[in-house]
Amino acid sequence: MPTAQSGFFEWVFFFIKTYGTLFLKGAGTTLLIALTGTLVGFIIGLAVGYVRAIPRDREGGAVRYWLLKLARTLLGVYIEVFRSTPMIVQSMVIFYGASSVLHINLPYLLAGFIIVSINTGAYLSEIVRGGIQSVDPGQMEAALAIGMTYGQAMLHVVLPQAIRNILPALGNEFVVNIKDTSVLNVISVTELYFVSKSAAGTYFKYFEVFFITSVIYFVMTFTVTRFLRWVEKKMDGPQNYAVHGSQTVPDVEIELNAKGGALSE
Amino acid sequence: MSEENAAILQVHHLSKSFGDHEVLRDVDFAVSRGEVISIIGSSGSGKSTLLRCMNLLEKPTSGEVLFHGENIRTPGFNLQTYRARVGMVFQQFNLFSNMTALENCVVCQMKVLHRSRVQAQNIAMAFLEKVGMSAYVKAKPRQLYGGQKQRVAIARALAMNPEVLLFDEPTSALDPEMVGEVLAVMKDLASSGLTMLVVTHEMGFARDVSDRVVFMDGGVILESGDPEVLFTHPTQARTRDFLARILEN
Ligand SMILES: Nc1ncnc2c1ncn2[C@@H]1O[C@H](COP(=O)(O)OP(=O)(O)OP(=O)(O)O)[C@@H](O)[C@H]1O
Ligand SMILES: [Mg+2]
């Protein structure tokens, strides 16, 4: 163990050596909560965004109209409340609320999943709604005009395009969640920040430990960002279309640009 | 069988307002089997709104649309099946951008008509072939140019076995050199006996291909009749003005 006279790097190496596995476990927990929270939040966002995008007409009868109105109002409240309060406060309210009001002692990790999911869901609901609105209304019209129901048109035509449009925002939310799960330390979830705080507190070496911690956070977010950008590129595919086989030379692949001119053979 | 019963679609006293703006006023007309009808008229005269009311993309304010004599707004009327029978081709093509040309023609057959994938694909291929797009089955809409997109959109509508196809200015968004290829497909369909209702600014098509021309002005059908007669001897001054203006260009 380094002494009081030891330098910065000696301490850093010491912490890596003795707390390395713990840091990695903490980082793993962070990633797990961020990923689960983002995915579940995304599903919540899709459901809420879908409900809020249903057109407001009285065609389906009065009961349906008022039920939709009620659902929309409640979902609106949910979104506003969770977007207008810090996640650290939401953590306290949900965790201690569950134990004192509902008499449920949530396991820490589960509490983490729930909090991040609900919080992310609120943000993604608005993003999904924006994504749905960004899809050309002609797509919905064409789907309806050919006989799809509203639900089929949403599922097969509008949502896939909306999701593609919001993919960057979704990735961003994941990155934000990697960083923001650190607030879960207030309810003792053993994610990266919690682990770091304990290690640093034991030796009173806050700078050294949190230097390591920041490096780990940076590596995680940087990798994820790059990876997501690569996925987006991959999904878009090539701008040009290759006609497989021409009539004269069946095996040749001709690249066509959007004007139909051959680029190369 | 009386004249009335032979009609596939009948429009009775149809009116449509957007707020205070009355866009269609008491429109009456019928589409019989095998007929090719062109609807002409200046911008804002209500042509698109009429077509959109006919497949309920817009709800008429009053009046009714009858499909084989049945009001399409009767409670319990199967709107999805109806829309499959009365196809629509849009000015902006509106191909599903998240799907390939083939998938565009397959998905509705499967979801609306409950055809199997194999069956739907065979039918789709046949129609893509018909419109000359079989080499582009795997292309996404953004990889196609306007004329190609519109031909795929026509194949998509045809794959549903429609009784009537409604066209809303199918060539108006195309570069001039691509208008011909789409009109050629439409002429082909007309001569094969498909019932078509075409909103168009292509006076050549209206005159040469259609059986009847309908002139709309200010939300009403001002006159309609045989293309040759309407183009050479319009009875209304406004029809004359419109034709003079449009044929000038
Ligand atoms: N959703 C809508 N809300 C309000 N007004 C509308 C709507 N759709 C159409 N209108 C109005 O109704 C009138 C008729 O429109 P419509 O699109 O039917 O004309 P059109 O004959 O198809 O014209 P164009 O040749 O330009 O396509 C126009 O004045 C238009 O502004
Ligand atoms: Mg129009």
Side-chain angles (χ1 to χ4, degrees), chain A residues 91-112 114-115 187 189:
Chain A
S91 307
M92 299 298 273
V93 171
I94 291 177
F95 185 73
Y96 291 104
S99 74
S100 67
V101 180
L102 304 173
H103 305 290
I104 301 170
N105 285 316
L106 288 173
Y108 298 126
L109 197 59
L110 180 65
I114 292 173
I115 289 156
I187 55 163
V189 177

Side-chain angles (χ1 to χ4, degrees), chain A residues 59 138-139 141-149 152 156-157 160-161 236 238-241 243 256 258-259, chain B residues 52 59 73 80 83-84 90 94-99 108 111-112 135-136 138-139 142-143 145 156 160 175:
Chain A
E59 277 294 303
Q139 298 282 309
E141 290 204 332
L144 294 178
I146 203 164
M148 285 196 194
T149 61
Q152 287 175 327
H156 301 292
V157 178
Q161 294 180 48
D236 285 342
Q239 196 59 48
N240 300 317
Y241 179 64
V243 174
L256 293 174
K259 279 270 173 234
Chain B
R52 293 165 60 82
K59 310 276 178 316
R73 298 187 79 186
Q80 278 70 43
R83 281 168 166 167
F90 298 86
N94 294 350
L95 286 183
F96 305 138
S97 346
N98 56 321
M99 299 177 199
C108 301
K111 300 300 164 196
V112 182
Y136 296 87
K138 286 188 189 149
R142 68 191 163 80
Q143 297 168 318
Y145 64 82
R156 174 175 72 178
M160 305 297 282
D175 291 341

Side-chain angles (χ1 to χ4, degrees), chain B residues 42-49 51-52 91 168-169 172 199 201:
Chain B
S42 47
S43 184
S45 56
K47 307 179 298 293
S48 298
T49 307
L51 242 56
R52 293 165 60 82
Q91 182 176 351
D168 191 2
E169 300 195 31
S172 294
V199 172
H201 287 299

Side-chain angles (χ1 to χ4, degrees), chain A residues 35-83:
Chain A
L35 188 63
T36 315
T38 308
L39 288 179
V40 176
F42 179 47
I43 291 165
I44 295 175
L46 278 179
V48 175
Y50 178 94
V51 172
R52 304 218 322 154
I54 295 174
R56 291 149 221 261
D57 56 34
R58 290 169 183 266
E59 277 294 303
V63 175
R64 184 174 173 276
Y65 176 83
W66 287 106
L67 274 180
L68 263 178
K69 210 173 157 95
L70 178 70
R72 248 191 227 117
T73 309
L74 291 178
L75 294 175
V77 170
Y78 155 61
I79 292 170
E80 276 311 314
V81 167
F82 276 84
R83 278 161 48 109

